Amino acid sequence: MLQSKTRWKVNEYNQIYTNLLVKELQVTPLVASLLVNRGLTTVESAREFLEPEHLEFHDPFLLDQMDIAIERIMKAIENDERILVFGDYDADGVSSTTVMVTALKEKGAHVDFYIPNRFTEGYGPNETAFRWAKSEGFSLIITVDTGISALHEAEVAKELGIDLIITDHHEVGPELPVAMAIIHPKKPNSQYPFKELAGVGVAFKVAHALRGEVPTDLLDVAVIGTIADLVPLHGENRLLAKKGIRALQNTGRPGLKALLKKAKIENNDISEETVGFAIGPRINAVGRLQSADPAVDLLMTTDPEEASYIADEIDELNKERQQLVNQMTQEAIQEVEENFPPSSNSVLVIAKEGWNSGVIGIVASRLVDRFYRPTIVLSIDSEKGLAKGSARSIAGFNLYESLSTCRDILPHFGGHPMAAGMTLKVDDVNDLRNRLNVIANEVLTPEDFQPVTSVDAICSIDDISIESIIEMNKLAPYGMGNPKPIVQINDVGVNTIRRIGADQSHLKIVLQDEPHTLDGVGFGLGHTCDGISPLSKVSVIGELSINEWNNSRKPQIMLQDIAVNEWQLFDIRGMRDFSSYIEKLRDDKLHLIAFSELTIDKLQLSNLEFSIVSSLEEATEIQLDSKHVVLLDLPEEAEWIKVLFEKSFPNRIYTLFFHEQDHFFSTIPTREHFKWFYAFLAKKGPFDMNRYAHDLAKYRGWSTETIDFMSQVFFDLDFVKINNGFISLSNQAQKRDLTESRTYQLKAKRIELEKQLLYSSYQQLKHWFDAINQGSHSLEEAIK
């Protein structure tokens, strides 16, 4: 067996709905099932999903208080009032700021932007910044991607005589700030048709309302926050993403063009992955390490030279961020393993002084990937006595709801069910950890701590073609709420398999289900190569794509996980460098078994855990549940192995069968050999074996082992007496068959044993063990 990394959960779908979509939309059953799994069960909803470009953006004035906000903004523009756009330092906040400032400037507004410093001010509006705004003459503040939790700051703005308009999308708390207008799709009693906009999506709606038409020139920016903030990509977000990616492919913004050039991405290659893995992380890196202002400047500049300079700076910051994350992740892992082991912590809450608060969210995600526990990583400021943190969760544990129960020790927090940010007193960290663990222990089951991969469909290799993948990609752009489809292929053969990459950490495999084959690549799965034996059937999950190389196009699967659901035989008979091989295998499942204690010494394995089985009775006492068993040498009888595996059959069997003497090739002497030797002893009388056995063997063309063997057989049958090396016939010998000799029987059994175990083919040996696994009483049948 080869255990998968995660539990594979296949999404069930209604066959009736699937058949309907296949018929009405003329799509393949695979695509139809994917649509149904996304809740698109009607022809109309499925068609809209596949063709979002034909849809229209919702009327922005359906957002509650949009009319109030636009009226106040227009008044400020008419009166030449100073307007401050107050943003956030992540990719959503930066793109939201860019969209809002651009829209206001186009209307002739006297506008500037302000993004708080993550390290000195923290997340969201703050009193100091508002008082600074008053001193600078700003009379209207518009927040973007922030502000819904700024209860105190809203009161400060009111006290200062500054009008406050809040535009946000984060979770709404039990109390709303006192503001002139709050534009939020999730406000209580909101009638807006779509609730899941990102911060930039809300800013885009304000821009739409200001212009009176959809601001298509802002789509290349709006798509960044929409995808980077991981909001569900359905409904209006899907429309923003679809049109935004097309706008990004044709962007004229010098800043985006410079950033794409640094990332070495051609326009035709731009997709949602470009935003998620190239643009978003680079923009985020700025606010993680310093002021996020340069990121806004990059998106807004019209000067190619300035854009190139800023893009270089941002790219360097991103490299610095990557190094910092790697270092902090190692420190965080050590902190967990030494002080807060997952075995006794359902929620991981770790804190350390000096950790960069700008990247703790990434570190929290890394810890979730490693330990699969809801995780909070906190950076301690000992001078202020505060801990600032980011949290990431797992399915089944709502972070926002859980943190809401701890409001009394969380003066500042906000976020979503799966991610959140917070600030609290250092003295309250232990209390927070204890409270969250109590909640987790109540709501989470042991199964919840096993990572799950949702599988969209089970298919065969025959189902996969270039045409089916092209049709499936009509579901793009992919993201939250519309993940890239994962398919499962069960129990197929392996044509070829090998490690690839400079460090051999990746996997290249060709799956086979006659007569069809499918290429597969698994990044980070190189180690599984050692866990797949010949003839094994594998099951895989992964994402389908088209590999284009050297003017050739082929379907392929990008593997995410791989499993073997049957026991496996690893044939290492004759392996010379066994000690190096065994080091690679060492884990808590490995069980070494020797049938002779001498084997342990000869193979120099005394430093490892092993069992010696020297009798049939000892074989019955060993428990091998779910073990990986290494059979180091040969037993005296095949029955020992049968009894050894009778109670529980191993997941894996490694057959070394170390031996120093081959009985199979020495064969048993014939009756003519025995007849001649007996006559020789009758004629010569007592024969000195020690002195003359070698000469006799040479004379007859035998080996000394043959003479020793025949002598022992005669002795077993009382045909001869042996005394101090002299052999002579017994006067009391009775007629008996040679096969009655214990020595003769053991030799015959040993030859048969070697035939079965040492000199059989891999397939014969596999069938032999299969017979044991199936409870066969006739093992010999397995190799016939």
Side-chain angles (χ1 to χ4, degrees):
M1 285 188 172
L2 176 65
Q3 188 67 42
S4 58
K5 294 186 300 180
T6 66
R7 288 180 291 133
W8 303 351
K9 183 179 179 181
V10 181
N11 296 325
E12 297 181 0
Y13 57 89
N14 187 301
Q15 192 65 53
I16 296 175
Y17 291 141
T18 301
N19 293 341
L20 175 66
L21 298 186
V22 169
K23 178 182 178 182
E24 297 296 328
L25 299 179
Q26 297 297 300
V27 295
T28 63
L30 174 59
V31 170
S33 66
L34 294 174
L35 291 167
V36 172
N37 276 340
R38 283 153 176 74
L40 304 165
T41 57
T42 67
V43 174
E44 182 182 356
S45 64
R47 183 176 284 119
E48 287 180 355
F49 189 85
L50 293 175
E51 303 171 1
E53 301 95 331
H54 298 157
L55 300 178
E56 299 292 335
F57 285 100
H58 298 306
D59 182 349
F61 286 98
L62 292 175
L63 283 159
D64 185 43
Q65 296 188 326
M66 180 67 84
D67 54 343
I68 298 173
I70 297 302
E71 183 180 348
R72 179 63 185 92
I73 291 171
M74 294 307 296
K75 180 181 176 183
I77 294 172
E78 290 170 8
N79 295 333
D80 199 29
E81 297 178 52
R82 294 196 69 188
I83 303 174
L84 183 66
V85 174
F86 195 104
D88 188 25
Y89 35 66
D90 67 1
D92 191 16
V94 166
S95 53
S96 301
T97 302
T98 302
V99 165
M100 188 66 77
V101 170
T102 302
L104 290 170
K105 281 189 173 182
E106 287 175 348
K107 283 292 185 179
H110 189 184
V111 61
D112 206 343
F113 71 89
Y114 186 100
I115 296 180
N117 186 292
R118 182 192 292 263
F119 305 100
T120 59
E121 298 173 82
Y123 170 78
N126 63 83
E127 182 175 343
T128 301
F130 277 20
R131 292 192 180 280
W132 168 86
K134 177 65 175 179
S135 69
E136 291 294 313
F138 291 98
S139 56
L140 175 61
I141 294 178
I142 305 173
T143 72
V144 289
D145 191 35
T146 188
I148 197 63
S149 301
L151 302 179
H152 172 68
E153 289 75 16
E155 292 292 345
V156 170
K158 184 177 179 181
E159 171 198 323
L160 294 172
I162 298 177
D163 288 336
L164 177 64
I165 297 174
I166 294 173
T167 76
D168 200 356
H169 74 119
H170 291 94
E171 293 297 318
V172 178
E175 183 181 352
L176 293 177
V178 177
M180 171 163 282
I182 298 177
I183 313 299
H184 195 304
K186 290 184 181 178
K187 274 173 62 177
N189 302 316
S190 172
Q191 301 301 308
Y192 193 70
F194 186 70
K195 311 292 186 186
E196 306 293 341
L197 290 169
V200 72
V202 180
F204 187 82
K205 302 309 294 186
V206 175
H208 185 173
L210 275 172
R211 284 195 186 175
E213 61 182 11
V214 177
T216 54
D217 58 305
L218 295 176
L219 283 168
D220 56 351
V221 176
V223 69
I224 296 173
T226 299
I227 291 176
D229 212 52
L230 303 180
V231 292
L233 290 189
H234 56 76
E236 201 163 25
N237 284 340
R238 180 167 172 78
L239 183 59
L240 270 169
K242 191 85 170 180
K243 292 193 172 186
I245 289 171
R246 188 169 298 129
L248 197 56
Q249 292 170 342
N250 298 286
T251 186
R253 292 178 186 272
L256 284 175
K257 291 169 74 172
L259 201 60
L260 290 166
K261 184 178 180 181
K262 290 300 298 184
K264 298 179 180 178
I265 294 173
E266 299 292 333
N267 284 24
N268 291 337
D269 296 329
I270 292 173
S271 67
E272 66 274 16
E273 293 183 351
T274 304
V275 177
F277 298 105
I279 297 176
R282 283 173 168 81
I283 291 177
N284 277 326
V286 184
R288 292 187 187 282
L289 300 183
Q290 60 169 46
S291 165
D293 288 10
V296 178
D297 294 336
L298 177 78
L299 296 181
M300 295 195 65
T301 184
T302 57
D303 182 354
E305 188 174 336
E306 181 186 20
S308 179
Y309 172 80
I310 299 175
D312 286 343
E313 179 187 354
I314 288 176
D315 199 59
E316 288 302 314
L317 285 170
N318 189 49
K319 292 176 183 176
E320 183 182 339
R321 186 269 306 169
Q322 291 171 330
Q323 294 175 349
L324 186 60
V325 166
N326 291 337
Q327 177 188 336
M328 283 177 55
T329 299
Q330 291 305 312
E331 294 175 5
I333 290 172
Q334 184 177 352
E335 179 74 9
V336 170
E337 293 177 339
E338 292 181 358
N339 300 313
F340 306 102
S343 57
S344 53
N345 286 270
S346 298
V347 178
L348 303 178
V349 180
I350 60 172
K352 187 174 181 179
E353 188 169 358
W355 275 348
N356 186 302
S357 60
V359 298
I360 51 180
I362 303 175
V363 175
S365 295
R366 295 271 184 95
L367 294 187
V368 171
D369 289 341
R370 184 179 179 94
F371 299 111
Y372 205 67
R373 294 285 189 279
T375 300
I376 298 177
V377 179
L378 297 157
S379 175
I380 294 176
D381 185 335
S382 56
E383 291 185 6
K384 295 181 180 179
L386 296 176
K388 182 179 180 181
S390 285
R392 300 292 184 270
S393 195
I394 64 174
F397 190 78
N398 188 312
L399 263 180
Y400 186 80
E401 286 184 1
S402 301
L403 291 171
S404 295
T405 67
C406 306
R407 286 179 181 275
D408 57 309
I409 59 172
L410 294 175
H412 299 286
F413 89 96
H416 308 285
M418 297 298 289
M422 73 217 65
T423 301
L424 68 159
K425 293 179 181 178
V426 173
D427 294 341
D428 290 330
V429 171
N430 286 336
D431 190 17
L432 179 66
R433 180 185 297 112
N434 293 335
R435 291 196 203 182
L436 292 178
N437 269 287
V438 169
I439 295 171
N441 290 335
E442 291 176 351
V443 302
L444 295 175
T445 66
E447 192 176 59
D448 289 326
F449 295 115
Q450 299 173 16
V452 176
T453 301
S454 292
V455 176
D456 290 276
I458 297 177
C459 60
S460 66
I461 295 178
D462 187 29
D463 295 327
I464 300 168
S465 64
I466 291 176
E467 292 72 24
S468 65
I469 295 174
I470 290 173
E471 186 177 70
M472 185 184 70
N473 283 339
K474 290 180 180 179
L475 275 67
Y478 302 114
M480 289 294 291
N482 180 35
K484 198 166 187 178
I486 295 176
V487 301
Q488 180 173 332
I489 304 172
N490 287 331
D491 300 325
V492 292
V494 176
N495 182 297
T496 60
I497 184 171
R498 59 188 174 91
R499 292 173 179 263
I500 58 172
D503 58 357
Q504 299 288 282
S505 63
H506 310 308
L507 181 73
K508 174 69 174 170
I509 191 170
V510 178
L511 305 172
Q512 183 166 331
D513 190 5
E514 291 288 359
H516 308 285
T517 61
L518 178 66
D519 291 354
V521 176
F523 292 107
L525 294 178
H527 64 282
T528 62
C529 197
D530 299 325
I532 300 173
S533 66
L535 305 184
S536 289
K537 299 287 187 179
V538 301
S539 296
V540 301
I541 61 172
E543 300 172 353
L544 299 177
S545 63
I546 297 173
N547 181 25
E548 300 190 30
W549 183 78
N550 199 22
N551 295 322
S552 175
R553 304 176 83 209
K554 291 177 66 177
Q556 70 176 356
I557 183 168
M558 306 305 294
L559 299 177
Q560 292 189 358
D561 207 352
I562 186 167
V564 178
N565 299 315
E566 59 185 5
W567 83 272
Q568 294 188 89
L569 172 65
F570 293 85
D571 185 1
I572 53 175
R573 293 174 292 182
M575 177 176 284
R576 294 183 178 180
D577 191 13
F578 177 70
S579 57
S580 298
Y581 183 76
I582 202 71
E583 281 300 319
K584 292 193 300 181
L585 294 180
R586 288 180 70 172
D587 61 28
D588 57 358
K589 292 185 177 181
L590 199 65
H591 196 137
L592 306 184
I593 290 179
F595 298 100
S596 169
E597 198 162 353
L598 294 175
T599 301
I600 300 297
D601 295 331
K602 289 174 181 175
L603 295 178
Q604 299 180 340
L605 299 174
S606 57
N607 61 319
L608 301 178
E609 293 186 15
F610 56 85
S611 296
I612 303 294
V613 177
S614 55
S615 69
L616 198 62
E617 291 72 23
E618 290 179 355
T620 64
E621 297 172 359
I622 295 179
Q623 296 293 327
L624 298 174
D625 293 337
S626 303
K627 292 292 185 180
H628 299 167
V629 173
V630 182
L631 298 175
L632 295 171
D633 53 11
L634 291 167
E636 285 190 17
E637 299 179 34
E639 187 72 12
W640 291 18
I641 294 179
K642 178 178 182 294
V643 171
L644 189 67
F645 296 158
E646 207 166 39
K647 290 182 182 177
S648 57
F649 201 79
N651 287 339
R652 298 184 190 177
I653 298 174
Y654 296 83
T655 52
L656 179 64
F657 292 147
F658 172 79
H659 62 290
E660 293 183 308
Q661 180 183 357
D662 281 310
H663 293 268
F664 181 74
F665 292 108
S666 61
T667 67
I668 295 178
T670 67
R671 290 187 179 275
E672 293 301 318
H673 286 79
F674 281 102
K675 184 177 179 181
W676 185 92
F677 188 44
Y678 190 89
F680 172 79
L681 292 176
K683 181 178 180 180
K684 292 293 184 180
F687 179 69
D688 189 347
M689 296 278 290
N690 293 333
R691 293 184 62 183
Y692 300 115
H694 178 72
D695 294 335
L696 179 62
K698 186 176 181 181
Y699 170 72
R700 290 293 298 174
W702 297 341
S703 66
T704 54
E705 287 79 10
T706 298
I707 293 176
D708 290 340
F709 173 73
M710 290 191 294
S711 299
Q712 188 61 45
V713 170
F714 285 161
F715 184 77
D716 290 349
L717 299 173
D718 295 325
F719 288 175
V720 300
K721 295 181 290 187
I722 299 177
N723 186 19
N724 294 325
F726 283 86
I727 182 171
S728 59
L729 296 183
S730 173
N731 295 328
Q732 301 175 351
Q734 297 179 1
K735 187 174 182 180
R736 298 173 66 185
D737 195 274
L738 293 172
T739 58
E740 295 180 46
S741 162
R742 172 69 174 163
T743 301
Y744 192 99
Q745 292 171 359
L746 289 176
K747 179 77 171 179
K749 283 186 177 180
R750 187 72 180 189
I751 290 173
E752 182 61 27
L753 188 70
E754 289 184 5
K755 176 184 176 183
Q756 290 178 335
L757 302 184
L758 276 182
Y759 301 110
S760 55
S761 68
Y762 175 90
Q763 194 157 12
Q764 288 174 324
L765 188 61
K766 176 73 163 54
H767 288 168
W768 190 86
F769 280 110
D770 278 334
I772 297 176
N773 190 24
Q774 294 159 13
S776 172
H777 296 290
S778 179
L779 304 182
E780 291 77 9
E781 294 178 0
I783 62 171
K784 289 182 179 178

